[in-house]
Amino acid sequence: MKLPHHPSTTIFSFIFILLLPSSISSQTCQRSCGKLPLKFPFGSDLGCGDPRFHQYVSCSQGNLMFTMHTGSYPVTNIDYTNKVMYISDPSMSTCSCTQPSKGFALDWDAPFSFQDDNIFALLDCSTSSSPIFQLNTLYTDKNNNSKVSLCDNEGTSICSFLYSCRAISTINLPISTCCVYTPVDLGPAFDMDLQKLQCSSYSGFYSFNERQSDPNSWKYGIALKYKFSVNNEYPSSCANCERSTGICGYYSGGAYSSFLCNCPNGINTTNDCYFGANYNYGSRLSSWQIGTWLFYCLACLLISVW
């Protein structure tokens, strides 16, 4: 016996299937990248965290990487309380290894700046032609007769300790080729170009680790401060999202990005995971997912007609 066919049933079936949410399309943000926990403003994927930070900090194969125009650097730790991120530069010289380097720089428009505790020591610099040992005409008094060097005069002890390291002492470099670089944030360009400075390498550290005379114990790397906004206040929408076990993210629909709270079940809401506001299942569907839905809808439509 053939059941009667109602056109309205076909239409409702088609609309129902078309509007069914797809868990595949939901964008699930991760809470960690390798061993490092991820919190706002950083995210594991596109659409997670703060969109201003995604181009600079990303998770790649379980490694959190910091990328500038000078290269990509592993993130070693993040102090979310004090808003400080620590990175390492594989080309940086330390007490256990010395190697040539091109230097380090920050993109001028990146939401990062150097932590005050950073110390940069330039190594194996040309004492005859390097600009760091020449009088800098940018630093003068009102009588134009008090010029200062780009090197910290009190950094001699740091250079002495570094040059006592086995990796550096074997090269037999004179201490006079070392310079503790003084420009705040590496100068107005946020750039430490060793080729221009005519130095072969550099060392950077952010803590003496309470053992100033033992360079083997220093914490080598670079400490970077980051800011959420001009006032550097934690976004209330993100705080509400995290209190409800969500992860802060965003949806980019073009020139502007809107806030999304990614919940454990894959649902993205515009508020929090208590579903106090509108929600959707994912940021957007990919082309193959749309094609799959259309195929299912067409199949159900044909079945209902038969």
Side-chain angles (χ1 to χ4, degrees):
M1 181 179 68
K2 186 177 181 179
L3 295 175
H5 169 68
H6 298 284
S8 59
T9 303
T10 300
I11 297 174
F12 287 138
S13 299
F14 180 82
I15 295 176
F16 176 75
I17 295 175
L18 184 62
L19 294 179
L20 273 176
S22 170
S23 60
I24 298 177
S25 68
S26 61
Q27 187 176 41
T28 304
C29 300
Q30 303 300 314
R31 298 183 181 275
S32 64
C33 179
K35 296 181 179 180
L36 292 179
L38 288 178
K39 298 180 181 179
F40 188 85
F42 308 113
S44 59
D45 300 284
L46 185 65
C48 304
D50 188 318
R52 297 175 303 158
F53 287 81
H54 178 74
Q55 62 177 312
Y56 304 112
V57 181
S58 59
C59 185
S60 175
Q61 299 180 345
N63 298 308
L64 197 63
M65 304 297 295
F66 175 74
T67 301
M68 291 282 108
H69 66 274
T70 51
S72 295
Y73 310 90
V75 178
T76 57
N77 193 22
I78 302 177
D79 182 349
Y80 288 101
T81 302
N82 296 309
K83 305 179 184 66
V84 179
M85 181 176 68
Y86 299 91
I87 67 172
S88 64
D89 181 357
S91 71
M92 175 189 294
S93 293
T94 65
C95 199
S96 59
C97 176
T98 179
Q99 55 190 330
S101 173
K102 295 181 179 180
F104 180 81
L106 288 178
D107 293 353
W108 68 270
D109 56 346
F112 298 91
S113 60
F114 290 100
Q115 177 78 341
D116 295 338
D117 296 333
N118 281 303
I119 295 178
F120 293 109
L122 309 187
L123 310 177
D124 191 18
C125 303
S126 172
T127 56
S128 60
S129 58
S130 174
I132 62 175
F133 296 121
Q134 298 175 7
L135 295 179
N136 187 349
T137 56
L138 293 179
Y139 299 89
T140 61
D141 63 11
K142 62 181 180 180
N143 296 321
N144 199 32
N145 59 9
S146 178
K147 301 177 182 180
V148 299
S149 169
L150 293 177
C151 300
D152 187 351
N153 293 328
E154 298 181 1
T156 304
S157 60
I158 294 176
C159 288
S160 298
F161 293 137
L162 280 174
Y163 276 38
S164 69
C165 296
R166 180 180 296 273
I168 301 177
S169 62
T170 55
I171 306 177
N172 196 27
L173 295 173
I175 295 179
S176 59
T177 63
C178 175
C179 165
V180 174
Y181 205 45
T182 57
V184 178
D185 286 344
L186 302 185
F190 308 101
D191 195 348
M192 181 172 56
D193 189 332
L194 294 186
Q195 184 175 2
K196 291 182 178 179
L197 296 174
Q198 298 186 33
C199 303
S200 64
S201 183
Y202 84 102
S203 182
F205 55 96
Y206 51 86
S207 173
F208 289 113
N209 202 22
E210 298 181 353
R211 302 178 69 179
Q212 184 170 349
S213 60
D214 182 10
N216 286 288
S217 301
W218 297 352
K219 293 185 178 180
Y220 293 93
I222 302 173
L224 300 172
K225 297 182 292 185
Y226 60 88
K227 296 185 66 174
F228 304 122
S229 60
V230 176
N231 298 325
N232 205 21
E233 295 179 352
Y234 204 80
S236 58
S237 56
C238 184
N240 294 334
C241 172
E242 292 178 336
R243 277 195 292 266
S244 64
T245 69
I247 301 177
C248 303
Y250 63 94
Y251 169 70
S252 180
Y256 301 96
S257 300
S258 57
F259 171 80
L260 285 180
C261 180
N262 186 254
C263 300
N265 55 8
I267 294 178
N268 290 334
T269 81
T270 58
N271 190 358
D272 53 44
C273 293
Y274 299 134
F275 308 116
N278 296 328
Y279 62 90
N280 61 70
Y281 284 79
S283 300
R284 49 193 169 193
L285 296 176
S286 63
S287 57
W288 70 267
Q289 290 168 345
I290 294 175
T292 302
W293 278 117
L294 293 177
F295 174 79
Y296 286 151
C297 293
L298 179 61
C300 292
L301 179 61
L302 293 176
I303 293 174
S304 62
V305 170
W306 292 340

